[in-house]
Amino acid sequence: MIQSIDYSAIAVPLILALTAGLVLLLDAFLPARPGGGRLLGVVALGGVAVSLAVLVAQAVRGGERRTFCVPPSLGLAESCSFVLDRFTLVFTALVLAAGVVVVLLSMAETSGGRVPVGEWYFLLLGTLTGAVLLAASRDLIMLVVSLELVSLPVFALTAMRRYDGRASEAALKLFLVSVVSTAIMLFGVSLLYGVTGSVHLDRIAAFYASGQSAAPAGVGQGVTTVAIVLVLAGFGFKVAAVPFHFWAADVYQGAPIPVAALLSVISKAAGFAGLVLILTIALASQAAVWAPVVAVIAALTMTAGNVLAMRQRHAVRLLAWSSVAQSGYILAPLAAFAGVPRDAVDASVAYLAFYAAMNLVAFGVVMLVSRTRERNDLDDYQGLAFHSPVTALSLAFSLICLAGLPPGLAGLFAKVVVFRAIVDGGLGWLAVVMAVNTVIGLYYYIAWTARLFTPLSTGTTRSGSAPVAVAVGLAVIVTLVFSVAPQVVLSAVG
């Protein structure tokens, strides 16, 4: 039997992969000349833009497309490894939009000559390809392979600055953490396969829904519980959830800022996509087992992230711990899945989309400031509004959105959506924990914002970068759209 492939369904990851290969070939065969790195950046940006256009065409066409399918067997329906549905479209749009911003940030990073440009864009496009594939994955093997395709290039991107000891240390920490998390997750995945006899998520769900098990009474459920804990631990490392969060601040600070932005948005989105798929499709009937664990992890994650962020004086480290806290907010609705399954998933995805736009604005401004302030401490932002008012207003708007205060209606609306899902799911205690953490987060977000409008005792000048300015502008526009019409996100994910 020859398996047919729907190339229109896999067009987006295919374009990204071909663009990655084209960038590597151009870097190898084009003669070295001034501006050659910028050409490779334009090619990479063009590939991401074309992929985004194709995605829009797929969304307009509508319907669900499947490929890499196995025929029905043993009374089960046809199962497919790649599914292009609304969930896939939303996550792919998030990844590609963030990818445009990260490529623009990378143009400024690679212009200094400290990194090999061709390899940089090749690895970056490889990460985007993995993230797009992961959102469409509907079997355990493809999920794991896609997740590793997201993770592996990031090690090299983190360490790619020549003669930078901090970057090398960050890459080593990220590598060790990722290896451990992958091993733990693979153990859990292997247990799931051993119990159910299938790798496809829909067939695993059907197995648990039927209540059948070849194992002795109680053994199958026990193995399933261990598998769930291991899978949660593996993905917990990927999304920097407590108690697997310890690597985040050092890696974010040591990595180039575009890579830190990639980790905080694209890599995190890929991790949450995989977690949502496994929990809400394959293990939906086991929600009574995993939902309480997710609730506790969410509460600890948002608390630890906010408390640690309060002590930071370095901009990137503050954003790193803020990102940990935001992971807790994204996890929280999933804990209410048993009570409000559809609202729980929609709330998590919507909050992730809001968070991605707001965080990219912050990282873009941080990169602008880092070009003249290498330490990048919070004190370096003092008086920014008097020298670069547009830049300062962009950062202030982003921080206010992350805090969930008006006029940052995008952040406020995102938190309200999460609160509603948690309360409707009967988790009042978790809503109280989130409310307290929201107040804690106000401290460091407002403190940083206040610095922007505090006059400096001596005048300084600050330089910018055109690609970074464009990246910040795009992210600000998206955040403004979310603030003016937040229902756009809910309608997309609902």
Side-chain angles (χ1 to χ4, degrees), residues 140 191-200 203-205 207-208 224:
L140 296 175
L191 291 177
L192 283 178
Y193 173 71
V195 171
T196 64
S198 178
V199 295
H200 288 91
R203 295 193 176 188
I204 294 174
F207 174 88
Y208 284 118
T224 297

Side-chain angles (χ1 to χ4, degrees), residues 322-381:
S322 166
S323 177
V324 171
Q326 301 295 335
S327 292
Y329 300 145
I330 298 168
L331 278 172
L334 294 178
F337 179 81
V340 283
R342 178 162 182 174
D343 290 346
V345 175
D346 290 351
S348 285
V349 176
Y351 194 95
L352 182 59
F354 287 120
Y355 156 79
M358 298 179 289
N359 224 43
L360 287 172
V361 175
F363 272 105
V365 174
V366 166
M367 186 164 185
L368 279 173
V369 174
S370 70
R371 296 176 71 81
T372 55
R373 294 289 186 272
E374 190 170 348
R375 287 193 314 164
N376 219 343
D377 291 334
L378 295 183
D379 290 337
D380 294 333
Y381 293 80

Side-chain angles (χ1 to χ4, degrees), residues 111-487:
S111 63
R114 298 182 64 188
V115 298
V117 180
E119 289 91 332
W120 178 283
Y121 289 115
F122 172 78
L123 293 168
L124 177 56
L125 289 167
T127 296
L128 294 178
T129 304
V132 168
L133 285 172
L134 195 147
S137 300
R138 295 299 183 272
D139 74 58
L140 296 175
I141 296 174
M142 190 168 174
L143 272 171
V144 172
V145 171
S146 300
L147 191 59
E148 289 310 294
L149 185 55
V150 174
S151 302
L152 291 175
V154 180
F155 309 151
L157 286 170
T158 303
M160 199 163 280
R161 278 182 176 170
R162 295 187 177 98
Y163 316 116
D164 189 331
R166 189 183 292 273
S168 300
E169 178 187 350
L172 180 60
K173 288 182 179 179
L174 184 60
F175 172 75
L176 294 175
V177 167
S178 186
V179 167
V180 171
S181 67
T182 300
I184 292 173
M185 185 170 56
L186 280 174
F187 191 17
V189 165
S190 67
L191 291 177
L192 283 178
Y193 173 71
V195 171
T196 64
S198 178
V199 295
H200 288 91
L201 302 185
D202 54 353
R203 295 193 176 188
I204 294 174
F207 174 88
Y208 284 118
S210 67
Q212 299 175 356
S213 177
V219 175
Q221 184 59 49
V223 175
T224 297
T225 301
V226 173
I228 290 172
V229 171
L230 292 174
V231 169
L232 284 174
F235 278 104
F237 277 106
K238 301 295 185 183
V239 301
V242 172
F244 316 107
H245 64 295
F246 52 85
W247 58 272
D250 290 341
V251 171
Y252 278 47
Q253 184 180 7
I257 291 178
V259 179
L262 184 150
L263 280 169
S264 74
V265 176
I266 296 174
S267 180
K268 189 182 292 289
F272 275 111
L275 185 62
V276 168
L277 287 172
I278 289 182
L279 293 182
T280 65
I281 296 180
L283 299 173
S285 61
Q286 300 293 310
V289 176
W290 57 258
V293 180
V294 171
V296 173
I297 292 175
L300 292 175
T301 300
M302 64 179 74
T303 303
N306 281 317
V307 170
L308 290 169
M310 293 174 64
R311 304 180 57 190
Q312 303 306 314
R313 294 296 176 265
H314 189 277
V316 176
R317 291 184 72 88
L318 189 151
L319 287 175
W321 290 123
S322 166
S323 177
V324 171
Q326 301 295 335
S327 292
Y329 300 145
I330 298 168
L331 278 172
L334 294 178
F337 179 81
V340 283
R342 178 162 182 174
D343 290 346
V345 175
D346 290 351
S348 285
V349 176
Y351 194 95
L352 182 59
F354 287 120
Y355 156 79
M358 298 179 289
N359 224 43
L360 287 172
V361 175
F363 272 105
V365 174
V366 166
M367 186 164 185
L368 279 173
V369 174
S370 70
R371 296 176 71 81
T372 55
R373 294 289 186 272
E374 190 170 348
R375 287 193 314 164
N376 219 343
D377 291 334
L378 295 183
D379 290 337
D380 294 333
Y381 293 80
Q382 185 173 339
L384 183 63
F386 299 95
H387 304 284
S388 302
V390 176
T391 302
L393 288 173
S394 299
L395 179 58
F397 181 64
S398 169
L399 296 175
I400 290 172
C401 283
L402 287 169
L405 290 175
L409 297 181
L412 177 62
F413 184 80
K415 284 184 168 57
V416 169
V417 169
V418 171
F419 270 116
R420 185 178 64 187
I422 296 173
V423 173
D424 290 347
L427 297 176
W429 69 270
L430 185 57
V432 172
V433 172
M434 184 175 173
V436 172
N437 275 280
T438 300
V439 175
I440 295 174
L442 293 178
Y443 168 77
Y444 57 86
Y445 288 130
I446 292 178
W448 192 357
T449 303
R451 276 183 169 87
L452 303 175
F453 301 95
T454 303
L456 282 170
S457 56
T458 58
T460 58
T461 58
R462 305 180 189 270
S463 62
S465 170
V468 179
V470 173
V472 173
L474 289 175
V476 168
I477 290 171
V478 173
T479 309
L480 283 171
V481 170
F482 286 171
S483 295
V484 174
Q487 288 291 346

